[in-house]
Amino acid sequence: MRLVFLGPPGAGKGTQARELAREWGVVHLATGDMLREALAAGTGLGLEAKRYMDRGALVPDEVIIDLMRERLARPDAARGFIVDGFPRTIAQAEALASLLKDSGQALDRVIYFEISEPELLRRLTGRRICRRCQTVYHLISAPPRRPDVCDKCGGELYQREDDSEATVQHRLEVYAQQTAPLLAYYSERGLLVPVAGEGSIEAVRRAIRAVVGA
Ligand code: AP5
């Protein structure tokens, strides 16, 4: 199973990919998470990426493509994967196709999360994340039992810097300009499968299972 989860910021890609990857025994490859981990570890990559992420801009293609080349080459990715947050430009999509081709693989499907802008804004501004175990919450739709405390590990919850209202607007513009052209790109290749992203977390998960046949 080799899937891409495509959709605007806050569409629910990470929420679904984490759970379904576990269920299907494949790896979840999220470029945003990889960059945030690099930043937390204080690496050069993390510090370079921060300059772009904080203002809601895309990290340069060559940096992200190198990151994915290295990650896809690890043995666990050979069992299958869900890629989330990549590709985000046509250049990244071309690079992914060529990386997979080099190892005799190809994408099975690109799941596109359809969702309205007001719902994206609600989801992004209400998102909270555990500093320790990275569990994702939402103040309304998936709240922790105690305010600002992770149910799973007791860690402190925080709001991502790029989830402020001003940066979210910019991320949505960047998505429209640089990532939305991928819809036509994957549709022309017969890979794009739209899924309604606005139902409950469980309803969206059922819809994805149905289109993937799993
Ligand atoms: P990244 O981390 O990839 O952010 P994103 O694509 O903007 O996506 P998000 O993580 O914001 O949203 P999501 O769709 O995963 O939603 P989630 O499941 O959390 O990228 C961050 C930055 O890194 C970029 O801006 C860029 O700078 C850089 N970057 C990363 N990849 C790059 C690349 N390939 N090229 C260049 N730069 C790159 O859900 C959101 C909230 O909604 C949560 O609170 C959740 O609990 C809630 N929720 C989820 N589903 C539902 C539901 N069905 N009903 C109600 N609430 C729900």
Side-chain angles (χ1 to χ4, degrees):
M1 187 180 293
R2 296 178 201 94
L3 303 175
V4 165
F5 281 9
L6 178 64
K13 306 180 296 293
T15 299
Q16 299 298 342
R18 253 184 299 276
E19 206 44 50
L20 289 170
R22 201 171 307 146
E23 184 176 314
W24 295 334
V26 298
V27 282
H28 171 211
L29 307 178
T31 40
D33 291 349
M34 291 179 205
L35 295 172
R36 281 183 290 276
E37 279 161 23
L39 178 61
T43 67
L45 166 68
L47 295 173
E48 186 189 353
K50 180 175 164 50
R51 294 195 291 132
Y52 299 92
M53 294 171 82
D54 280 355
R55 55 190 166 90
L58 293 187
V59 173
D61 283 338
E62 55 279 14
V63 174
I64 292 289
I65 291 168
D66 278 353
L67 185 68
M68 281 304 284
R69 179 181 298 112
E70 188 273 322
R71 186 60 189 88
L72 282 170
R74 291 200 216 155
D76 60 354
R79 290 200 310 268
F81 53 74
I82 301 175
V83 186
D84 148 24
F86 177 92
R88 262 169 145 102
T89 62
I90 298 285
Q92 292 181 18
E94 299 279 7
L96 177 60
S98 125
L99 287 174
L100 293 176
K101 196 168 167 212
D102 288 348
S103 54
Q105 305 177 64
L107 285 179
D108 294 317
R109 283 186 188 78
V110 175
I111 309 293
Y112 167 51
F113 289 62
E114 284 184 309
I115 184 162
S116 69
E117 192 165 317
E119 178 64 10
L120 292 175
L121 291 174
R122 267 194 295 277
R123 289 194 186 175
L124 288 169
T125 50
R127 174 165 55 189
R128 297 293 182 273
I129 302 171
C130 174
R131 273 195 202 285
R132 203 182 292 162
C133 71
Q134 314 308 319
T135 298
V136 176
Y137 295 87
H138 188 277
L139 295 179
I140 313 281
S141 61
R145 284 194 292 272
R146 282 190 295 153
D148 300 324
V149 179
C150 177
D151 293 348
K152 292 194 180 154
C153 75
E156 181 202 1
L157 304 189
Y158 79 104
Q159 182 174 30
R160 260 169 57 175
E161 236 165 86
D162 60 349
D163 279 349
S164 68
E165 233 169 295
T167 311
V168 162
Q169 278 300 346
H170 184 57
R171 285 164 65 201
L172 293 176
E173 286 161 22
V174 168
Y175 171 81
Q177 286 162 10
Q178 303 193 51
T179 306
L182 289 176
L183 300 180
Y185 176 92
Y186 281 124
S187 176
E188 282 159 17
R189 284 157 182 77
L191 289 171
L192 195 76
V193 185
V195 158
E198 291 219 7
S200 67
I201 292 175
E202 191 43 51
V204 176
R205 192 161 300 151
R206 275 198 302 272
I208 299 172
R209 282 196 199 104
V211 298
V212 169

